[in-house]
Amino acid sequence: MALLRQTHRCLLHQHRNFSASAVSQTWFGNVEQAPKDPILGITEAFLADENPNKMNLGVGAYRDDNGKPVVLDVVREAERRVGGSHFMEYLPIGGLKDFNQVSIKLAYGDNNEAIADNRVAAVQSLSGTGSCRLMAEFMTRWMPGSKIHITKPTWSNHHNIFKDAGVDKKEYSYYKPSTKGLDFEGLVSDLKAASPKDVVLLHACAHNPTGVDPTPEQWKEISSVMKDKQLFPFFDMAYQGFASGDCERDAQAINIFMEDGHAMGCSQSYAKNMGLYGQRIGCFSIVTEDPKEAVKVESQMKAIARPMYSNPPLHGALLVSQILKDPELKQQWYKEVKGMAERIITVRQSLKDNLESLGSPLKWDHITEQIGMFCFSGMTPEQVDKLAQDYSIYMTRNGRISMAGVNSQNVKPLSEAIHKVTTE
């Protein structure tokens, strides 16, 4: 009997130990904290700063001259027109057909032969990020062995997108720190060394983060090299219209490649040029050899989208379609996007002029030679840190300034702070 009681106590003790052990082992105890996104980290530091004169020059979202977010008048009018006019049913997997058609015409041109010949496969996407991710997954399934070549530097999320899709990537030369301009020789050399059938990610305009774009003549040479090497161009076009204020000029690289007879892919986003950041509205398209090929390619684009997000959202597609299909609204949008671009161009000039008037021994011509939302200032990470610590001015540590956050009220103190940290 005593032996039985002792055995019972042992079993009870083991049960309690097992229960305690089971409780301590959670399902997700091995999950590590993910590193902070560099842009969001900047915003967090900015929000925690109590300085009333602080500046957030990290986020790539347009602001007016008072530092306020902007909803375009043409978007408000499009909202008024589409409000209450549609049911809230699911869109097809490929999205709103009218939206896809007006989008590819904006990217490739109204009278483009590939569009007229039904050689362009297109689906609505979750803005530019979604378009790039669809391309990455398409590469994994239908372009096995092809690497993606990405500019050095590039938008940081490009690396994440293609890595998560399992696509091998290589960087190619793009930015030359000594001139704060394009390393054209290095770029061409790297493309010539690429393997046939590889994919090259090209920023159609307003390169992020450098603001440095090739000239039309340089684009022609890039196109020729890629044609000779059998490289597939994939354009990321996040700033059409926003870069120069002219949608046709901002699409000139794509037009050059089209004239040279390339098959190609394109990612479009309406976040910057229509201010539809939160609508997550974009288009992913591939120019193919013939209509039959386009039908098959588009079917596979939809097959990728289906398990990823099933189908895209309706509202943003209705807004873009309304604006681009209506001649009056389209002209109004051209005017408003040009106004945004011109404000950015104006503050670039003001920043350069202020730095020069302070007697800076450095050259600042690159501020006005670069284009688009971002200025690649050339400041070191240590200088950027000092701007944040001493002047409450926040930007990415690679020295990228979001010019959308610069305005007529803060450009002078910004210039003074930059002058101090770059001349100490």
Side-chain angles (χ1 to χ4, degrees), residues 10-275:
C10 287
L11 290 173
L12 184 62
H13 179 70
Q14 289 175 3
H15 174 73
R16 286 171 177 169
N17 285 345
F18 175 80
S19 299
S21 175
V23 169
S24 66
Q25 293 179 6
T26 70
W27 284 103
F28 307 112
N30 65 329
V31 176
E32 298 177 356
Q33 181 73 34
K36 286 185 177 181
D37 182 274
I39 305 296
L40 298 181
I42 292 166
T43 300
E44 288 177 4
F46 169 80
L47 292 174
D49 194 323
E50 297 181 357
N51 185 341
N53 298 316
K54 61 187 178 181
M55 302 181 207
N56 187 352
L57 306 180
V59 179
Y62 183 76
R63 298 290 183 263
D64 65 15
D65 198 50
N66 295 310
K68 303 297 183 184
V70 173
V71 178
L72 300 183
D73 291 340
V74 71
V75 169
R76 289 300 191 205
E77 174 58 22
E79 280 189 314
R80 187 189 68 77
R81 294 187 186 186
V82 305
S85 64
H86 288 71
F87 292 111
M88 301 297 172
E89 297 294 304
Y90 290 122
L91 282 176
I93 298 170
L96 190 67
K97 187 175 181 179
D98 284 351
F99 166 80
N100 292 335
Q101 283 300 303
V102 294
S103 292
I104 60 176
K105 287 182 177 180
L106 184 67
Y108 302 109
D110 285 332
N111 301 314
N112 185 274
E113 288 184 9
I115 296 175
D117 295 342
N118 296 315
R119 292 192 289 113
V120 183
V123 296
Q124 182 183 331
S125 65
L126 304 183
S127 202
T129 301
S131 293
C132 289
R133 185 56 193 262
L134 288 174
M135 179 63 191
E137 295 291 343
F138 189 89
M139 287 180 64
T140 299
R141 295 190 189 189
W142 299 105
M143 305 173 79
S146 295
K147 294 184 179 69
I148 185 76
H149 293 257
I150 298 174
T151 62
K152 184 180 181 180
T154 191
W155 177 48
S156 60
N157 216 19
H158 281 150
H159 293 285
N160 302 328
I161 290 165
F162 288 92
K163 178 184 176 183
D164 279 5
V167 178
D168 288 338
K169 58 185 176 66
K170 289 189 70 174
E171 291 182 309
Y172 65 94
S173 301
Y174 192 85
Y175 179 74
K176 198 169 188 176
S178 60
T179 63
K180 299 180 179 65
L182 184 67
D183 181 5
F184 186 65
E185 294 77 13
L187 184 156
V188 170
S189 177
D190 286 350
L191 292 184
K192 286 181 177 179
S195 300
K197 307 299 182 182
D198 279 357
V199 177
V200 180
L201 195 156
L202 302 160
H203 298 231
C205 60
H207 181 273
N208 180 3
T210 69
V212 174
D213 287 351
T215 65
E217 292 72 24
Q218 289 170 332
W219 276 122
K220 289 176 183 177
E221 187 169 344
I222 294 168
S223 173
S224 177
V225 169
M226 289 182 61
K227 189 79 170 175
D228 290 343
K229 288 290 298 184
Q230 295 183 311
L231 301 173
F232 185 87
F234 176 57
F235 284 96
D236 188 354
M237 185 158 61
Y239 298 95
Q240 187 179 8
F242 190 95
S244 69
D246 184 333
C247 285
E248 290 187 10
R249 177 182 170 185
D250 290 347
Q252 64 181 340
I254 290 177
N255 292 331
I256 288 168
F257 277 68
M258 289 294 293
E259 289 171 4
D260 287 347
H262 286 271
M264 69 179 75
C266 182
S267 162
Q268 291 171 265
S269 167
Y270 292 94
K272 307 295 193 298
N273 58 10
M274 285 193 184

